[in-house]
Amino acid sequence: MKNEIPFIKMQGAGNDFVVIDNRPSYLDGTEIEIVRKLCDRHFGIGADGLMLLDFRQPDHFSLKYYNSDGKPAEMCGNGARCAVYMMHLLNPAHKEFDFGVFGEPYSGSVTGTNRVKIYWNRSPLIINIAGLEKEVPTEFKRFLYVNSGVPHLVLEVQGELGNFDITGWGAFFRNHPLFSPQGTNVNFVRLHDHEVTIRTFERGVEGETLACGTGALAAATAVHHWGQSPFPIDIQARGGLLTVDGSSDLSNMSLEGPVRRVFTGSVKRTDL
């Protein structure tokens, strides 16, 4: 067990992460309480999630992602963008990367200063949930349930998002029996003059985050499905602007946006 764990704190459009170069095997991913403590905003480093990177080649890496509740998630779009940028910082000569998230293949590229695009290897899946239409009240104009690597419910809000009860409605749908047992992420979008704004209640964080990459992909899928906009589609999250591109058949999907290293540090494991 390595007692001193170096890390990089990173953020992608305000979605923040503790990133660990895990080649020395500091953690194996089963340490739920340690992940929770590191992500705690009062007693730890503070983050929406934690990522473990492992690599033997400068342009290829594997990634394991854990939400702030300590549990693994199949994919995190902004986290993956941060991981690509960290690999670029560690290997400045490289800007194109292949990587796997729990074994699922993806690729990414550094497209500018503090800017990264990642590419999905599969199309987002639109899923019909029987009976869901009866559970969506008139506060919402329409909805779509999408798996963009992880499950997302996208709800179009009739009015402004600023004062909308994201926490209340987010918790309601996140824990709704129709999505049992895994639950769902919940995205609230507003369409106005070809602009798409979004607020996201994230499963595993159990609250609102400033941005969600897989949520932006799901929202863009919904907007395209509703016939409101062709790709590329800009999604304005509270933490920054994300751009989703793809083909009309929902293939060749990508997510691009800002990313930044916030600070570096180390923690002592005693066990934290």
Side-chain angles (χ1 to χ4, degrees), residues 21-180:
D21 177 353
N22 203 43
R23 284 176 294 173
S25 299
Y26 296 112
L27 302 172
D28 64 18
T30 63
E31 304 90 346
I32 292 177
E33 287 304 317
I34 289 179
V35 174
R36 288 175 177 171
K37 289 179 180 179
L38 291 174
C39 292
D40 190 286
R41 296 193 182 279
H42 300 287
F43 298 102
I45 300 166
D48 294 323
L50 178 142
M51 292 184 287
L52 302 177
L53 269 70
D54 192 11
F55 61 96
R56 300 296 180 269
Q57 304 172 45
D59 59 352
H60 187 92
F61 65 93
S62 63
L63 170 65
K64 295 180 179 179
Y65 176 75
Y66 303 87
N67 282 314
S68 59
D69 64 357
K71 298 177 183 178
E74 301 93 325
M75 177 54 172
C76 176
N78 285 326
R81 293 193 310 102
C82 287
V84 166
Y85 201 69
M86 177 171 171
M87 287 295 294
H88 172 62
L89 294 176
L90 294 172
N91 306 280
H94 294 273
K95 292 186 177 182
E96 305 285 337
F97 300 91
D98 293 316
F99 62 97
V101 183
F102 289 114
E104 190 72 27
Y106 297 88
S107 60
S109 60
V110 177
T111 57
T113 303
N114 297 319
R115 192 164 184 84
V116 169
K117 177 187 284 190
I118 60 169
Y119 306 87
W120 262 254
N121 66 310
R122 57 184 177 180
S123 301
L125 182 62
I126 298 173
I127 303 170
N128 179 49
I129 301 293
L132 181 56
E133 68 281 353
K134 298 178 182 178
E135 302 297 322
V136 178
T138 56
E139 283 90 340
F140 306 104
K141 184 175 180 180
R142 49 194 161 186
F143 67 90
L144 197 70
Y145 188 56
V146 181
N147 191 309
S148 54
V150 289
H152 283 273
L153 176 63
V154 182
L155 297 153
E156 183 182 357
V157 176
Q158 300 273 23
E160 296 292 336
L161 281 176
N163 297 319
F164 194 80
D165 184 9
I166 303 298
T167 300
W169 281 114
F172 173 80
F173 284 109
R174 182 264 183 266
N175 296 296
H176 197 283
L178 285 175
F179 304 109
S180 177

Side-chain angles (χ1 to χ4, degrees), residues 216-234:
L217 186 71
T221 299
V223 170
H224 183 269
H225 178 77
W226 294 331
Q228 299 301 299
S229 178
F231 293 116
I233 299 173
D234 287 337

Side-chain angles (χ1 to χ4, degrees), residues 13 140 152-157 159-171 173 185-191 196-203 207-216 218-219 235-240 242:
F140 306 104
H152 283 273
L153 176 63
V154 182
L155 297 153
E156 183 182 357
V157 176
E160 296 292 336
L161 281 176
N163 297 319
F164 194 80
D165 184 9
I166 303 298
T167 300
W169 281 114
F173 284 109
N185 300 281
V186 189
N187 305 272
F188 304 90
V189 299
R190 183 171 188 266
L191 283 59
V196 182
T197 54
I198 186 171
R199 294 178 68 179
T200 300
F201 185 98
E202 280 204 49
R203 180 188 67 172
E208 184 179 6
T209 54
L210 294 182
C212 175
T214 54
I235 307 290
Q236 182 64 61
R238 294 179 68 195
L242 297 166

Side-chain angles (χ1 to χ4, degrees), residues 9-17 78 82 239 258-262:
K9 172 71 179 288
M10 304 192 74
Q11 61 92 359
N15 205 185
D16 60 341
F17 310 95
N78 285 326
C82 287
V259 60
R260 187 170 66 86
R261 173 173 54 184
V262 182

